[in-house]
Amino acid sequence: EGKRLLKALGYEVASVFPNIGLEQEFFLVPRDAYARRPDLQLTGRTVLGRMPPRGQEMCDHYMAPLNPHAHACIAEIQEECFRLGIPLRTRHREVAPNQYELAPAFGIASAQSDQNLMVMQIATEVAARHNLACLLHEKPFAGVNGSGKHNNWSLGTTDGINLLNAGQVTKASGNPVVFPTIVAAIVDAVDKYGDLMRCAIASPGNDFRLGACEAPPAILSTYLGEDLTKFLEEFKAGKVGEYKAAKKMLSVGVEGVAPFEVPSEDRNRTSPFPYGGHRFEFRAVGSSQNVSFVNTVLNSITADAFSRFSAAIEGGKKPQDVASEALNASWKTVFNGNGYSLEWRAEAEKRGVWRIDSGVEAMNRLSVEKNIKLFEGLGVLSKVETEARRVIMLGHYVGTVEMEANCMVEMIVQSIIPAVKEADQDTAALAAAAKAVADKLAKVHHEEDPFKKASVARELRLDTMEAARKVCDEAEAICPANLWPMATYKDLLFLDANQDAFGRTLCPRNP
């Protein structure tokens, strides 16, 4: 469909294909502390745990050089991946303590999706060799940032032209209408299929991450930036010209460092799908996700928009009119402000922008009629296949919550209550919390319909288990440290403070 649209715009290409670059975030924690956390071992996240006096308040983890032991581990991950033809070009700390990121060179979406699965597997195996555990869950710890996998997405031709690079595509095509038409189609796709985009990133871990000032909210808008927004507004008004992003200089306020040029199109980190210069970045993708379906959705909704644009142009409409009409109809989904603000939530509702807070409801949107027609029309998925995928997604969610709930009950009954009793403190609230979780889990098992079952599981996870967690964390706050039976957040989150020169964890507790 991309080839067809470009032909209708007077630009002949052999093919159009998607390229992606994935920013993989993860945590590295001491393996002996990991071994004393059944929840981390069995579910990937801590279902309980009190925040230590220090978190990420000072941003000192983000700004520091890599911890030497984490550095050695990450360097070996890079070497192992490079031997398999996976060049991980970027490595750095992230915001939360013990959080890091690796990112590869851009590549074809299908290959990059497969390679990312290998990167995650290699990271977990190599970490063990360094007496560390690699945590890929979106929210392994409450109270500090979670992890994502930013999906940088663009479209290329076999001639090496990036269709989201205005200068490249305008020069190659000789037609300044091509770039704004492509962007108009993408904005139109986000507007029409925002529910499907939300479905694509509805992983269980994103329940705790989206909208928490570490990831975009569950409102599917797109950020274009001041320059591109102005350019498209002029384009809608009838002005045709080549898009050129303005240049800006940055001074760091240090006499010995001269001002330097920086991109004016730096993406908005509060938007789920911002344009960042030469690519769109789907920032809401979860760190543990297989991005195959994410990119299937992006490619499908864009192909559908390209098809509709092509049909209109082939029917005799002027390309600029087709793109302008689509932009006018979908302009409500463009938002360049602070996506975390409460004002935007109210404004988005007024505009009618897709907002689906519940991941379970987002999963259920997969098989609505318009989405089935999209996949069937493009030959991507049949109706039966789409419905099967919906049921599998909901079942995966239920299974994840079931494991977390069982793990929490076991930790409370077998470990926390005995420790608190030994400290001669009351355990009635803990026993009641464990019973509440077990009772709610029984209600999950009672439901048969996949959507209803997942909906009850979501209530268990976000309401019942969170209430039980509060009781456990209060018990941890007053229980003597030598009696608390599992590794604490302090033990898990601070490699810089908890390791000796050989990478061994200092002062390990007895299990």
Side-chain angles (χ1 to χ4, degrees):
E1 294 299 343
K3 179 180 175 181
R4 176 187 172 195
L5 176 59
L6 292 178
K7 183 178 180 179
L9 296 171
Y11 179 30
E12 297 270 1
V13 299
S15 67
V16 174
F17 54 86
N19 289 314
I20 61 172
L22 301 167
E23 303 173 40
Q24 179 68 60
E25 296 176 346
F26 55 93
F27 283 78
L28 291 174
V29 301
R31 198 159 193 91
D32 66 327
Y34 170 79
R36 291 182 282 119
R37 289 297 306 215
D39 47 1
L40 277 181
Q41 291 178 300
L42 300 178
T43 75
R45 78 176 183 96
T46 53
V47 296
L48 50 87
R50 180 172 173 267
M51 274 295 293
R54 177 179 178 178
Q56 61 189 43
E57 297 86 352
M58 306 304 294
C59 297
D60 48 345
H61 187 272
Y62 201 13
M63 304 301 177
L66 270 68
N67 171 279
H69 308 295
H71 186 185
C73 174
I74 292 170
E76 187 174 338
I77 292 170
Q78 289 178 290
E79 181 180 349
E80 293 263 351
C81 289
F82 189 74
R83 289 176 180 175
L84 297 174
I86 306 172
L88 297 174
R89 298 179 60 183
T90 304
R91 66 186 181 206
H92 61 82
R93 292 196 190 227
E94 264 298 335
V95 175
N98 289 6
Q99 188 182 34
Y100 297 88
E101 179 182 298
L102 284 167
F106 250 67
I108 296 173
S110 55
Q112 288 284 305
S113 298
D114 290 345
Q115 288 180 0
N116 179 255
L117 296 175
M118 297 169 70
V119 169
M120 291 192 288
Q121 181 64 33
I122 289 168
T124 58
E125 293 173 356
V126 171
R129 297 204 288 264
H130 289 261
N131 197 31
L132 298 169
C134 178
L135 308 180
L136 293 162
H137 194 283
E138 286 77 10
K139 195 72 173 179
F141 303 103
V144 297
N145 276 18
S147 299
K149 180 157 33 205
H150 303 160
N151 191 103
N152 294 278
W153 173 86
S154 65
L155 298 171
T157 72
T158 48
D159 299 324
I161 302 301
N162 180 352
L163 298 181
L164 294 179
N165 183 325
Q168 274 190 8
V169 73
T170 301
K171 182 179 180 181
S173 66
N175 182 359
V177 173
V178 173
F179 175 71
T181 300
I182 290 170
V183 174
I186 293 170
V187 173
D188 181 72
V190 175
D191 180 47
K192 284 184 170 55
Y193 295 105
D195 60 332
L196 200 50
M197 292 176 68
R198 175 66 178 92
C199 171
I201 49 93
S203 67
N206 263 348
D207 265 357
F208 301 98
R209 175 175 165 265
L210 295 182
C213 290
E214 64 205 68
I219 303 171
L220 266 297
S221 63
T222 183
Y223 163 91
L224 299 179
E226 183 179 340
D227 290 348
L228 184 54
T229 299
K230 182 180 178 182
F231 170 76
L232 291 176
E233 285 176 336
E234 292 175 348
F235 178 79
K236 288 192 297 174
K239 181 179 178 181
V240 178
E242 183 179 351
Y243 170 66
K244 292 183 179 179
K247 298 178 181 179
K248 64 180 181 180
M249 303 300 291
L250 178 68
S251 173
V252 296
V254 178
E255 290 185 4
V257 179
F260 51 92
E261 188 177 301
V262 295
S264 63
E265 297 173 313
D266 190 24
R267 78 278 195 202
N268 183 330
R269 288 169 170 79
T270 71
S271 172
F273 196 63
Y275 178 75
H278 307 170
R279 91 280 188 202
F280 280 89
E281 181 184 18
F282 202 178
R283 292 182 57 81
V285 181
S287 54
S288 68
Q289 283 193 261
N290 179 336
V291 298
S292 299
F293 185 59
V294 170
N295 287 286
T296 296
V297 167
L298 290 180
N299 298 335
S300 297
I301 65 177
T302 303
D304 175 75
F306 283 174
S307 177
R308 288 183 280 106
F309 276 37
S310 297
I313 295 168
E314 292 163 357
K317 278 193 169 185
K318 293 181 179 179
Q320 186 174 0
D321 291 342
V322 173
S324 296
E325 288 173 10
L327 283 171
N328 283 326
S330 59
W331 200 247
K332 65 179 182 291
T333 201
V334 176
F335 178 67
N336 293 335
N338 179 8
Y340 295 153
S341 69
L342 295 177
E343 292 79 9
W344 168 230
R345 296 181 186 181
E347 175 64 23
E349 187 173 346
K350 289 179 184 178
R351 293 189 189 185
V353 178
W354 284 107
R355 175 183 175 183
I356 309 175
D357 292 337
S358 165
V360 170
E361 290 182 11
M363 294 172 195
N364 209 45
R365 293 289 306 177
L366 179 59
S367 60
V368 299
E369 185 177 356
K370 75 176 181 69
N371 295 335
I372 289 175
K373 285 183 176 179
L374 168 75
F375 290 130
E376 280 192 321
L378 294 170
V380 176
L381 294 170
S382 68
K383 181 177 181 179
V384 172
E385 289 169 331
T386 305
E387 172 60 20
R389 183 174 285 271
R390 179 190 74 92
V391 173
I392 290 168
M393 290 178 73
L394 293 169
H396 176 245
Y397 184 91
V398 171
T400 299
V401 176
E402 182 178 31
M403 288 187 293
E404 292 176 350
N406 282 328
C407 193
M408 174 178 260
V409 171
E410 186 175 285
M411 291 170 73
I412 294 173
V413 173
Q414 296 185 1
S415 299
I416 298 176
I417 287 179
V420 172
K421 279 184 177 178
E422 188 175 351
D424 199 25
Q425 294 168 1
D426 184 60
T427 62
L430 289 165
K435 183 178 185 305
V437 172
D439 289 348
K440 190 70 172 183
L441 180 58
K443 291 182 179 180
V444 174
H445 293 156
H446 179 73
E447 293 289 348
E448 294 185 2
D449 176 77
F451 175 64
K452 290 181 180 178
K453 197 179 191 76
S455 297
V456 177
R458 185 173 186 269
E459 293 173 3
L460 163 60
R461 191 185 208 200
L462 301 185
D463 296 332
T464 312
M465 289 180 64
E466 286 300 293
R469 178 182 191 133
K470 184 178 179 182
V471 174
C472 294
D473 293 353
E474 289 172 351
E476 181 183 348
I478 59 174
C479 182
N482 65 312
L483 295 179
W484 191 250
M486 59 200 67
T488 66
Y489 272 29
K490 177 180 175 294
D491 300 325
L492 288 159
L493 279 174
F494 300 99
L495 282 178
D496 295 334
N498 285 345
Q499 285 186 318
D500 65 15
F502 303 100
R504 296 175 301 209
T505 303
L506 298 170
C507 304
R509 300 166 184 238
N510 292 322

